[in-house]
Amino acid sequence: TTLSPKLDRILSTSACHQSIRAGQSLSKEQAVALANQMTETDSSQNCPHGRPASIRIPFARLEDWFKR
């Protein structure tokens, strides 16, 4: 189902205003719950404005960062 552009904008703005902001601290439980919710959502790769919600870091890069 395609939403009207106006309704899509309203829903996107509402989602954005209720989102977790940059620099906001989460407890371990909140972070785990958020990650679980994101895996259950089809459109969790980006925020309503199109910015990435997560990134993939290759294990080899982590090894380089931590000199392991």
Side-chain angles (χ1 to χ4, degrees), residues 4-24:
S4 72
K6 186 174 183 177
L7 181 56
D8 185 56
R9 188 172 49 253
I10 290 168
L11 293 174
S12 294
T13 300
S14 176
C16 183
H17 286 292
Q18 295 184 34
S19 66
I20 296 164
R21 307 286 185 180
Q24 182 178 345

Side-chain angles (χ1 to χ4, degrees), residues 18 20 29-45:
Q18 295 184 34
I20 296 164
E29 293 79 16
Q30 289 171 315
V32 169
L34 178 60
N36 288 335
Q37 289 173 2
M38 288 179 70
T39 62
E40 296 171 1
T41 304
D42 291 335
S43 58
S44 66
Q45 298 302 313

Side-chain angles (χ1 to χ4, degrees), residues 33-66:
L34 178 60
N36 288 335
Q37 289 173 2
M38 288 179 70
T39 62
E40 296 171 1
T41 304
D42 291 335
S43 58
S44 66
Q45 298 302 313
N46 299 80
C47 79
H49 303 291
R51 292 185 294 264
S54 63
I55 59 170
R56 186 177 300 260
I57 302 172
F59 188 75
R61 189 160 185 195
L62 288 173
E63 288 179 319
D64 288 342
W65 289 349
F66 292 96

